[in-house]
Amino acid sequence: MTLSKGAARAAAILDAAEEVLITAGNAHSAMRDFAAAAGVRVGHLQHYFPTRADLIRAIMSRALERSLSRLTAMTKTWTEAASDTPITRADSERLILVLLSEQEDPETVRLYVEVWSLASVDTEIAAVVRDFYRQYVAHVALIVARAQPDLDSVALRGRAETVVSVLEGSSVLRSGIAQLRSESTDAILVQTLQYLIHGS
């Protein structure tokens, strides 16, 4: 699909902004830094993204879309199957391994770390991050519901939130930041996540 001229410019700005966060960090993430990296004036940048929160929101939306597109490619057969068809442990293991594989990309991990850091001091960006995780949890809840259709809404949300919490925490520990990745810890991590998804 060919992007319109405006959409292509916005995408190029987002590419440049991600690069700033990954390579320079949030300490160098003022609008002028993003504009300079994109090769545009601040006013031009603000035409597409009026505030830094708007820009971060677009970056996070794009990151979520990338993650969900990978998940959707895997879960498409589940959603097309009869609603009472449960997700098997083999299904969930494949899904978990896809999610964990995202943590092997140091740029993806660095992007999230920098956005979390921004969110800790900027209430608007914190709201963007909360919205991102609400969407992420909602998607995971659909998966858990297929594995455990009898769960009530509170238990379902609790399990989905815990799955996301375990995945997000492990991203820092398994990445090059903490370097605590090993076959044995990965095996336990997969087992733990399968327990949360399947309940046993």
Side-chain angles (χ1 to χ4, degrees):
M1 182 177 71
T2 304
L3 295 176
S4 69
K5 190 174 181 181
R9 284 181 180 163
I13 289 170
L14 290 176
D15 289 340
E18 279 193 30
E19 188 67 19
V20 167
L21 287 170
I22 291 165
T23 60
N26 71 77
H28 302 282
S29 63
M31 291 295 271
R32 66 179 176 276
D33 299 311
F34 293 133
V40 298
R41 296 186 309 277
V42 171
H44 186 76
L45 170 64
Q46 290 176 316
H47 171 74
Y48 293 97
F49 307 103
T51 68
R52 187 170 70 160
D54 292 323
L55 183 59
I56 299 297
R57 182 178 294 108
I59 290 170
M60 295 302 287
S61 293
R62 203 165 67 156
L64 182 62
E65 285 172 12
R66 287 194 295 257
S67 292
L68 292 186
S69 68
R70 286 188 282 269
L71 290 179
T72 301
M74 286 199 64
T75 60
K76 185 177 180 188
T77 56
W78 304 347
T79 56
E80 290 175 348
S83 59
D84 59 352
T85 303
I87 294 171
T88 68
R89 293 185 75 82
D91 290 333
S92 65
E93 182 175 3
R94 284 193 301 274
L95 173 69
I96 290 164
L97 292 175
V98 167
L99 293 170
L100 291 178
S101 71
E102 293 184 357
Q103 299 174 0
E104 294 164 17
D105 177 9
E107 290 189 353
T108 298
V109 174
R110 178 71 186 270
L111 174 65
Y112 280 82
V113 168
E114 295 301 332
V115 171
W116 292 333
S117 181
L118 282 170
S120 72
V121 295
D122 186 312
T123 57
E124 288 187 41
I125 292 174
V128 170
V129 170
R130 284 193 297 272
D131 183 58
F132 172 87
Y133 283 110
R134 273 193 292 270
Q135 293 179 63
Y136 191 179
V137 167
H139 192 79
V140 171
L142 293 173
I143 294 166
V144 176
R146 290 298 299 273
Q148 299 185 70
D150 295 331
L151 282 181
D152 63 46
S153 61
V154 173
L156 177 62
R157 182 171 180 80
R159 284 188 178 263
E161 288 177 347
T162 306
V163 167
V164 172
S165 297
V166 170
L167 284 166
E168 294 302 276
S170 69
S171 69
V172 175
L173 296 177
R174 292 177 74 252
S175 73
I177 296 172
Q179 296 184 337
L180 292 178
R181 182 181 175 199
S182 69
E183 285 186 21
S184 61
T185 55
D186 277 5
I188 294 169
L189 186 56
V190 170
Q191 290 171 1
T192 301
L193 290 165
Q194 284 192 307
Y195 168 74
L196 290 166
I197 292 170
H198 294 277
S200 61

